[in-house]
Amino acid sequence: MLVPDALTRALAVSSHAVILTGSGTSAESGVPTFREARTGLWARFRPEDLATPAAFERDPGFVWDWYEWRRGIVATVEPNPGHTAIVALERLLPRVTLITQNVDGLHQRAGSANVIEFHGNIMRSKCSIEHCSVDISGDADRRPPPCPNCGAPVRPDVVWFGEAIPPAALEAALAAAAGCDVMLVVGTSAQVQPAASLAGHASARGAVLVEINLEATPLTASADYVLPGKSGVILPALVESLRDADDLRGRTG
Ligand code: OAD
């Protein structure tokens, strides 16, 4: 994969880069995406049965079991070269803010320390009424387990359709999008708001917008660079190009 020199330069001189990831970033680890034909979760399941507060109220056991199944997948997979390359970018560049729509915790497992989890994390659970964090490790029999404080059903700590983004995550992501000079948008179909609009905010303030994806998305037309392909291939190539540029500077400087 040949990275355009101008993109390498833009990254090399950036003072604040933002990386916005979606489920495509975890696809090469074996975590299903959402909207891809045939394999995407929303091609096989109806979001209104599984990812809304009303669905949980109607049938908490069904929703809980589906998330148990997804937790099982996440527990058996490993971060891929795309996740690892993001950690390398965090070390190579002066400032990187990582915003993920993914709920699988793979960025953290790869070594990214400061991850803005825009849509929560399926490995965490919370009370469906009080929203306090609940450790579910002790109650494997009840599906879902009851909140130890109030007895209400416990739910996954993720953002469902119709729910607000956690305020701290939203505020941090908006500030990063407004202040960055480069934004990499990786493995997201850019169809879910407000996550997708972060790219528009960044680009409107002059940031260089880079899209890494297998397919075109609503963001493609406004991207300054479109790198088509797998994030597990392209992100390591970006890291290599930065290292090469660094070596060159070292040799000539
Ligand atoms: P989608 O399934 O909508 O989009 C996945 C994108 O990743 C597609 O555009 C694919 O082309 C691309 N892709 C797949 N494999 C890739 C690879 N190896 N390298 C690069 N790109 C690849 O998933 P998201 O955009 O993440 O919300 O979906 C956004 C939100 O919708 C999710 O966070 C989830 C869902 O409903 C919640 O859970 C709240």
Side-chain angles (χ1 to χ4, degrees), residues 28-205:
E28 289 157 80
S29 294
V31 181
T33 59
F34 290 93
R35 291 176 185 77
E36 287 183 286
R38 294 196 325 279
T39 55
L41 290 174
W42 298 151
R44 294 186 280 155
F45 304 97
R46 283 161 30 103
E48 53 272 42
D49 292 340
L50 292 158
T52 66
F56 187 70
E57 231 169 85
R58 237 177 3 251
D59 196 342
F62 180 65
V63 173
W64 185 258
D65 285 350
W66 190 68
Y67 280 92
E68 270 293 282
W69 169 69
R70 288 179 58 198
R71 280 193 284 268
I73 295 175
V74 168
T76 59
V77 303
E78 296 295 331
N80 67 56
H83 296 108
T84 314
I86 289 173
V87 178
L89 288 174
E90 289 167 343
R91 291 179 184 151
L92 279 167
L93 300 176
R95 184 173 173 202
V96 172
T97 300
L98 175 56
I99 306 167
T100 190
Q101 298 167 83
N102 299 344
V103 295
D104 54 31
L106 284 175
H107 286 301
Q108 291 89 334
R109 282 170 55 194
S112 288
N114 298 310
V115 186
I116 299 176
E117 291 184 321
F118 213 67
H119 290 163
N121 190 313
I122 50 168
M123 299 316 238
R124 287 196 306 265
S125 303
K126 64 179 185 180
C127 171
S128 58
I129 302 292
E130 298 166 336
H131 299 281
C132 56
S133 197
V134 176
D135 176 4
I136 54 162
S137 51
D139 201 336
D141 300 340
R142 315 256 302 263
R143 317 173 358 261
C147 168
N149 296 330
C150 72
V154 167
R155 56 164 280 181
D157 189 358
V158 297
V159 176
W160 281 331
F161 289 102
E163 292 186 316
I165 304 301
L170 181 62
E171 199 180 313
L174 285 171
C180 68
D181 42 24
V182 179
M183 181 182 274
L184 308 182
V185 183
V186 188
T188 175
S189 63
Q191 290 188 40
V192 172
Q193 299 296 357
S197 66
L198 293 171
H201 287 305
S203 153
R205 286 176 169 75

